[in-house]
């Protein structure tokens, strides 16, 4: 079947909550076969079990037929965690990286993706704050000039596809173009996101893009209020819920996002702009040092 985005097979790197969510909407909503890889066998097993649970829940709620759920599940193939996962994805039309918010890690992944995948494959990052331009530069082969035709062609297929958590529920994808990203890559990525049932907004490649350039300083200020003793945890969250009609308070939201992720993004904003207003809260740093990462670790500002 001819489709506007031309994507007939997708690879996803990372079987965490975001990666699994992207796999879900790709297989269920877009109806595209998808390969999933993670170095951790435990994470792969946990991720696919979550997908089975989500599919079962959607069938019970009458959102999809059981036959459609089975078809969607059959579209997902797990790549052996002991293999070179990226090499196993050499025939995909798009590969989406959903690893931790760490530039060094992402740069290595993208350099490997550029080396092993087809030269026409779209290389997308689910980063929520790191420069797409910087990630794209990592795809230029060693010894190749970034200004050469080969260098420009490699970097032109990199794009930011920022899905929001939880991916099956949140209706938005933030689309980010690096300086090198081609119009064709951008438009195909947009069409893919729409096929996944998402609304799309576009941001320039600035630290945090639109979403986290606004959200993270807000969460950081809330944590600083707690740090300085301006108000209690419960009163900070209650003020925003009842006074501003937010569905959850900022400290609860930070717990749900993951305090390590919040810190990584806040540091990206601070280092990327050099503006002191983005300095991470000392309390946030200490909680991450303690391993109190929020809901995923069982303890953050609240206990789970």
């Amino acid at each position: 079947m001819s489709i506007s985005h031309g994507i007939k097979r997708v690879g996803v790197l990372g079987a965490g909550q975001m990666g699994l969510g992207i796999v879900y909407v790709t297989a269920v909503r877009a109806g595209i076969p998808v390969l999933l890889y993670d170095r951790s066998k435990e994470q792969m097993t946990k991720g696919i079990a979550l997908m089975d649970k989500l599919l079962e829940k959607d069938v019970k709620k009458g959102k999809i037929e059981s036959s459609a759920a089975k078809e969607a599940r059959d579209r997902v193939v797990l790549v052996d965690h002991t293999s070179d996962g990226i090499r196993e994805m050499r025939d995909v039309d798009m590969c989406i990286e959903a690893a931790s918010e760490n530039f060094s890690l992402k740069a290595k992944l993208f350099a490997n993706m550029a080396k092993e995948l087809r030269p026409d494959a779209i290389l997308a990052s689910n980063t929520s704050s790191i420069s797409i331009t910087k990630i794209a530069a990592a795809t230029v082969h060693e010894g190749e000039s970034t200004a050469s035709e080969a260098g420009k062609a490699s970097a032109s297929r990199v794009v930011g596809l920022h899905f929001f958590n939880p991916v099956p529920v949140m209706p938005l994808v933030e689309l980010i173009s690096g300086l090198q990203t081609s119009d064709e890559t951008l438009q195909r990525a947009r069409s893919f996101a729409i096929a996944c049932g998402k609304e799309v907004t576009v941001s320039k490649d600035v630290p945090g893009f639109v979403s986290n350039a606004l959200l993270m300083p807000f969460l950081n200020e809330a944590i600083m209020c707690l740090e300085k003793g301006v108000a209690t945890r419960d009163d900070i969250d209650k003020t925003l819920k009842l006074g501003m009609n937010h569905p959850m308070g900022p400290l609860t939201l930070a717990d749900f996002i993951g305090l390590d992720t919040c810190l990584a993004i806040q540091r990206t904003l601070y280092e990327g702009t050099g503006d002191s207003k983005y300095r991470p809260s000392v309390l946030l740093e200490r909680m991450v040092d303690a391993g109190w990462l929020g809901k995923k670790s069982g303890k953050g500002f609240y206990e789970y």
Side-chain angles (χ1 to χ4, degrees), residues 264-304:
I265 296 171
Q266 196 64 32
R267 281 175 172 165
T268 296
L269 291 172
Y270 185 41
E271 292 164 9
T273 63
D275 193 329
S276 61
K277 73 180 181 182
Y278 294 121
R279 179 185 63 79
S281 158
V282 173
L283 176 59
L284 175 60
E285 292 182 327
R286 292 298 168 266
M287 291 184 72
V288 172
D289 289 344
W292 298 349
L293 309 181
K295 188 177 180 183
K296 63 185 174 185
S297 71
K299 180 174 176 59
F301 294 106
Y302 296 84
E303 294 190 4
Y304 301 89

Side-chain angles (χ1 to χ4, degrees), residues 128-282:
S128 54
S129 63
I130 297 171
S131 168
I132 298 301
T133 299
K134 199 172 177 181
I135 291 173
T139 66
V140 179
H141 300 312
E142 191 175 348
E144 191 76 59
S145 167
T146 55
S148 68
E149 289 306 312
K152 288 189 286 187
S154 184
S156 73
R157 57 196 179 123
V158 177
V159 67
L161 265 181
H162 178 206
F163 289 82
F164 291 77
N165 189 32
V167 179
V169 176
M170 300 299 279
L172 185 68
V173 164
E174 195 173 29
L175 186 65
I176 305 98
S177 173
L179 288 179
Q180 313 95 317
T181 308
S182 70
D183 287 340
E184 180 186 355
T185 297
L186 201 63
Q187 294 311 315
R188 289 180 67 196
R190 177 194 285 272
S191 295
F192 168 75
I194 292 170
C196 290
K198 303 301 182 184
E199 297 283 339
V200 179
T201 59
V202 180
S203 171
K204 286 186 177 180
D205 186 20
V206 298
F209 317 132
V210 170
S211 57
N212 281 321
L214 296 174
L215 176 63
M216 285 303 154
F218 163 62
L219 299 185
N220 195 53
E221 275 303 318
I223 298 168
M224 283 185 170
C225 279
L226 182 63
E227 179 183 317
K228 294 171 184 176
V230 173
T232 65
R233 174 198 70 181
D234 291 349
D235 279 352
I236 290 169
D237 275 1
K238 190 174 184 180
T239 298
L240 272 297
K241 285 173 67 179
L242 302 185
M244 313 303 177
N245 202 28
H246 289 197
M248 67 176 71
L251 301 178
T252 302
L253 179 56
D255 271 358
F256 274 54
I257 292 170
L259 302 189
D260 53 338
T261 300
C262 291
L263 179 58
I265 296 171
Q266 196 64 32
R267 281 175 172 165
T268 296
L269 291 172
Y270 185 41
E271 292 164 9
T273 63
D275 193 329
S276 61
K277 73 180 181 182
Y278 294 121
R279 179 185 63 79
S281 158
V282 173

Side-chain angles (χ1 to χ4, degrees), residues 1-12 20-34 51 55 58 64 68 71-73 75-76 93-94 96 161 163 167-168 173 188-198:
M1 181 177 70
S2 177
I3 43 182
S4 60
H5 48 67
I7 297 166
K8 298 175 183 175
R9 181 176 293 181
V10 171
V12 174
L20 191 279
I22 294 167
V23 168
Y24 184 89
V25 296
T26 300
V28 177
R29 309 250 173 88
I32 299 173
V34 54
M51 180 167 182
L55 286 170
D58 280 353
I64 56 173
E71 288 173 6
R73 179 61 181 80
R75 292 187 189 106
V76 181
D93 301 295
M94 171 187 273
I96 305 172
L161 265 181
F163 289 82
V167 179
V173 164
R188 289 180 67 196
R190 177 194 285 272
S191 295
F192 168 75
I194 292 170
C196 290
K198 303 301 182 184

